[in-house]
């Protein structure tokens, strides 16, 4: 039994290892990219449009609205990063219904990679929006003594992001695997359904937390009247 | 170790590639399509608003024009009624004047007819009276009427006062013409001599006389000395009789004409009333 899809290695050449995490990630990327390309190939700007276009428009506008609700005034700027984050995690988790599929999000390497992306995106967007000095100055607020705590907070929340997603997905997979050995009927199906719900919730939590972090970093301090 | 750093780096790269792919294939086309649709809807809405405002403007313009038309229509109607009334009044006045003219013409015709009737009646009456008188005088005196007339004329001459004689004499002396004795009939020589002798007796021997026939003198005789006249005839009596007859006829004709005119006027009024 594998604790992480990283352990399933299909091909190895020295340090380079082509494991299940990477392969299934490619699969998810393929599904997302090809699916999007197929739907957006014949987009209509009229009032009449295909149901797939409707679905994608609904997904995109919902993500846009969520980003705006959190406090980012220009959601179009962030939807590429935050929307992809949500869609990647959600699709990765939803495809668990396919037998033999190992969700890439069940690998701590993947969640770490995503957390690192968020960790990097926060200062990039923050500096872009507020400027380097103002962004760095935020670490000194409300007092200089808060600097180490702010830095610790940055790292700890990144770690929390990675571990939270990994823990949830890994536990789901583990429970399913354990249940299959104990009670092969009924229960695995229920747990699988529950796993789908958990997967969607985790995708939402991960992306919304990333949005909140970016929003906090890009928030321009307005002078008090 | 749960974290495989090679996988981490590979996943970061994978994730960034996925971000690019989705940005390129999903978000941008979808957001562009939504933007285009929103723009289209906004333009359609603004078009609709423009059309609505234009329609409102046209409606207001139409209502305004309608109001103007109504006002003009009312004004034209009032003017037409006024014109028709004045034309009616004018026509009625013309008709009334025509009727009046016709009535006057009718009255004139009636009058002239009456005059000619009266004149004819007069003439016939005079003739009748003349002949009756002549017959009566002859039957009564046994003398001819001429003799009787001459007798009356002679007695009149004899009764003339001096001023009358002088006036006639002066008039006679002023011209070379003889005194003209006019009678209705041709006097017999005997009567002529008698008249000449009486004239010479009154006006002197130099008085010359000439006898003419004047049919207008009804049963009478006239002496004309250069314009100064002395006459006796029954024309005067007949004239008085004629005047009385005229008066009577006038009264009768006038009343008849008035009756006719009143009748015509009443008919007119009835005609207007309907």
């Amino acid at each position: 039994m594998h604790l992480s899809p990283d352990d399933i290695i299909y091909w190895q050449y020295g340090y380079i290892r082509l494991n299940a995490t990477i392969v299934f990630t490619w699969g998810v990327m393929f599904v997302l990219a090809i699916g999007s390309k197929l739907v957006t190939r014949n987009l209509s700007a009229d009032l009449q449009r295909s149901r797939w276009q409707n679905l994608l428009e609904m997904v995109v506008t919902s993500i846009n609205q969520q980003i705006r609700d959190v406090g980012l005034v220009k959601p179009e700027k962030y939807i590429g990063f935050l929307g992809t984050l949500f869609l990647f995690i959600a699709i990765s988790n939803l495809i668990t219904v396919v037998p033999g599929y190992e969700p890439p999000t069940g690998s701590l390497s993947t969640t770490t990679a995503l957390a690192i992306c968020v960790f990097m995106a926060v200062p990039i967007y923050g500096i872009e929006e507020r400027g380097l000095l103002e962004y760095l100055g935020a670490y000194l607020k409300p007092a200089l003594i808060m600097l180490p705590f702010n830095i610790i907070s940055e790292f700890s929340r990144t770690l929390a992001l990675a571990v939270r997603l990994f823990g949830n997905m890994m536990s789901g997979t583990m429970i399913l695997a354990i249940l299959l050995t104990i009670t092969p009927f009924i229960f695995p199906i229920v747990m699988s359904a529950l796993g789908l719900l958990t997967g969607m919730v985790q995708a939402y939590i991960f992306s919304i937390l990333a949005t909140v972090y970016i929003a906090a970093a890009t928030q321009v301090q307005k002078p008090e009247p | 170790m749960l974290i495989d750093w090679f996988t981490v780096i590979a996943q970061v790269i994978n994730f960034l590639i996925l971000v690019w792919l989705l940005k390129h294939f999903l978000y941008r086309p979808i957001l562009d399509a939504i933007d285009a649709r929103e723009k289209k809807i906004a333009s359609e809405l603004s078009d609709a608003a423009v059309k609505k405002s234009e329609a409102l403007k046209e409606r207001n313009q139409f209502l305004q024009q309608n109001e103007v038309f109504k006002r003009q229509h009312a004004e034209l109607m009032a003017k037409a009624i006024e014109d028709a009334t004045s034309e009616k009044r004018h026509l009625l006045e013309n008709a009334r004047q025509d009727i009046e003219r016709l009535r006057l013409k009718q009255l004139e015709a009636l009058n002239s007819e009456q005059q000619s009737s009266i004149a004819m009646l007069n003439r016939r009456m005079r003739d009748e009276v003349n002949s009756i008188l002549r017959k009566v005088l002859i039957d009564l005196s046994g003398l001819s009427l001429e003799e009787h007339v001459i007798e009356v004329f002679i007695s009149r001459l004899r009764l003339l006062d001096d001023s009358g004689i002088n006036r006639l004499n002066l008039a006679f002396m002023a011209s070379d013409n003889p005194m003209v004795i006019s009678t209705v009939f041709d006097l017999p020589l005997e009567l002529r001599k008698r008249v000449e002798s009486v004239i010479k007796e009154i006006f002197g021997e130099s008085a010359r006389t000439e006898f003419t026939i004047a049919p207008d003198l009804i049963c009478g005789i006239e002496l004309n000395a250069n314009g100064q006249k002395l006459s006796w005839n029954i024309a005067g009596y007949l004239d008085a009789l004629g005047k009385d007859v005229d008066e009577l006829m006038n009264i009768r004709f006038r009343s008849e004409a008035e009756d006719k005119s009143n009748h015509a006027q009443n008919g007119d009024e009835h005609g207007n009333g309907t």
Side-chain angles (χ1 to χ4, degrees):
Chain A
M1 191 177 130
H2 305 289
L3 195 61
S4 161
D6 290 2
D7 298 336
I8 307 167
I9 297 166
Y10 299 115
W11 181 80
Q12 186 168 12
Y13 180 76
Y15 189 65
I16 301 166
R17 280 195 300 270
L18 196 62
N19 54 33
T21 307
I22 295 171
V23 170
F24 285 118
T25 299
W26 286 350
V28 171
M29 283 167 69
F30 183 79
V31 167
L32 278 171
I34 296 299
S36 302
K37 178 65 190 166
L38 285 175
V39 174
T40 57
R41 185 175 50 171
N42 294 318
L43 278 181
S44 152
D46 291 332
L47 295 176
Q48 292 289 329
R49 50 199 184 270
S50 69
R51 58 186 70 177
W52 284 106
Q53 186 183 342
N54 255 343
L55 176 73
L56 283 195
E57 279 189 12
M58 209 163 71
V59 169
V60 172
T61 49
S62 301
I63 294 169
N64 233 12
Q65 191 57 44
Q66 282 294 326
I67 295 170
R68 189 180 282 116
D69 286 349
V70 168
L72 290 168
V73 286
K74 285 183 281 185
E76 294 80 11
K77 188 177 170 185
Y78 306 100
I79 193 170
F81 178 73
L82 295 170
T84 307
L85 211 53
F86 172 77
L87 286 178
F88 175 66
I89 299 169
I91 298 296
S92 299
N93 296 348
L94 285 178
I95 305 178
T96 48
V97 290
V98 178
Y101 171 78
E102 291 287 339
T105 44
S107 148
L108 188 59
S109 304
T110 306
T111 57
T112 306
L114 294 178
I116 287 170
C117 284
V118 173
F119 178 77
M120 295 306 291
V122 168
I124 288 169
Y125 282 126
I127 290 165
E128 190 186 320
E129 197 69 34
R130 301 165 68 179
L132 181 64
L133 285 177
E134 197 183 336
Y135 175 75
L136 292 177
Y139 285 97
L140 302 174
K141 284 176 183 171
L144 182 64
I145 197 163
M146 292 303 286
L147 177 64
F149 300 106
N150 282 332
I151 292 167
I152 291 167
S153 153
E154 284 292 319
F155 282 102
S156 63
R157 76 187 185 188
T158 307
L159 184 67
L161 265 182
V163 174
R164 185 189 300 111
L165 180 60
F166 164 69
N168 275 287
M169 294 321 294
M170 185 270 285
S171 64
T173 317
M174 290 298 288
I175 288 167
L176 203 64
I178 293 162
L179 280 174
L180 275 171
T181 56
I182 300 167
T183 55
F185 306 110
I186 316 288
F187 264 111
I189 296 169
V190 176
M191 290 310 292
S192 183
L194 200 64
L196 288 177
L197 179 69
T198 315
M200 284 304 291
V201 171
Q202 286 309 314
Y204 180 71
I205 288 172
F206 195 99
S207 50
I208 211 81
L209 280 175
T211 313
V212 170
Y213 298 154
I214 290 171
T218 56
Q219 208 79 52
V220 180
Q221 295 288 326
K222 288 178 185 167
E224 288 191 11
Chain B
M1 181 68 177
L2 286 171
I3 300 175
D4 175 18
W5 288 106
F6 171 75
T7 310
V8 169
I9 292 163
Q11 287 296 70
V12 167
I13 293 165
N14 281 339
F15 180 72
L16 291 177
I17 291 169
L18 185 63
V19 167
W20 183 84
L21 282 173
L22 288 189
K23 225 178 192 173
H24 192 73
F25 291 129
L26 182 66
Y27 305 123
R28 198 176 299 156
I30 292 277
L31 287 175
D32 285 351
I34 290 171
D35 281 352
R37 190 180 306 121
E38 280 177 355
K39 270 181 194 163
K40 198 175 172 184
I41 290 168
S43 82
E44 279 175 6
L45 281 174
S46 73
D47 277 359
V50 168
K51 279 179 184 165
K52 194 181 171 188
S53 76
E54 277 175 4
L56 267 174
K57 212 163 93 180
E58 278 178 14
R59 180 176 165 271
N60 286 339
Q61 207 172 350
F62 172 75
L63 284 175
Q64 218 169 358
Q65 278 180 352
N66 213 9
E67 199 63 35
V68 170
F69 284 150
K70 270 185 186 170
R71 206 162 44 236
Q72 282 178 349
H73 177 252
E75 280 171 8
L76 284 173
M77 266 313 269
K79 195 173 177 295
I81 288 168
E82 196 182 326
D83 285 354
T85 311
S86 77
E87 185 62 24
K88 184 186 168 191
R89 206 176 293 131
H90 180 67
L91 286 173
L92 277 174
E93 187 59 34
N94 279 352
R96 205 168 285 134
Q97 281 174 4
D98 286 350
I99 289 165
E100 187 62 27
R101 217 167 19 246
L102 281 172
R103 199 173 68 83
L104 288 174
K105 209 182 262 180
Q106 201 178 10
L107 270 177
E108 274 173 22
L110 271 170
N111 277 337
S112 77
E113 193 185 341
Q114 180 190 351
Q115 292 297 332
S116 63
S117 304
I118 288 167
M120 197 178 70
L121 197 67
N122 265 346
R123 265 197 310 277
R124 288 180 69 178
M125 208 156 60
R126 273 179 221 167
D127 293 347
E128 285 297 318
V129 168
N130 207 354
S131 63
I132 289 163
L133 278 175
R134 189 186 295 253
K135 202 176 175 189
V136 167
L137 287 171
I138 290 164
D139 289 349
L140 284 177
S141 61
L143 294 169
S144 70
L145 178 62
E146 287 81 3
E147 280 173 327
H148 196 79
V149 168
I150 296 299
E151 285 303 318
V152 171
F153 182 64
I154 289 168
S155 66
R156 282 278 177 104
L157 277 175
R158 289 188 193 286
L159 286 174
L160 264 180
D161 54 1
D162 290 343
S163 66
I165 293 166
N166 281 338
R167 208 164 41 244
L168 283 168
N169 210 11
L170 282 173
F172 170 68
M173 298 294 278
S175 96
D176 296 335
N177 295 331
M179 285 183 178
V180 181
I181 310 292
S182 305
T183 53
V184 182
F185 41 82
D186 193 16
L187 285 177
L189 195 60
E190 191 187 332
L191 284 176
R192 281 190 189 186
K193 281 183 177 170
R194 186 150 176 229
V195 169
E196 276 176 348
S197 68
V198 171
I199 284 173
K200 283 187 177 173
E201 185 186 323
I202 294 169
F203 295 105
E205 283 302 319
S206 62
R208 285 175 293 119
T209 53
E210 187 184 301
F211 289 90
T212 58
I213 294 168
D216 285 346
L217 290 171
I218 302 163
C219 191
I221 186 166
E222 184 185 83
L223 169 66
N224 189 343
N226 197 24
Q228 289 291 326
K229 287 180 182 176
L230 175 72
S231 70
W232 178 90
N233 57 37
I234 61 167
Y237 303 111
L238 287 177
D239 282 346
L241 181 65
K243 272 179 188 166
D244 288 347
V245 171
D246 284 356
E247 194 68 28
L248 276 169
M249 291 294 280
N250 274 339
I251 288 164
R252 196 168 70 87
F253 278 120
R254 204 175 295 127
S255 67
E256 270 179 16
E258 276 173 6
D259 280 354
K260 277 184 186 170
S261 155
N262 285 340
H263 191 71
Q265 232 165 8
N266 285 341
D268 239 20
E269 279 167 14
H270 281 304
N272 289 337
T274 53

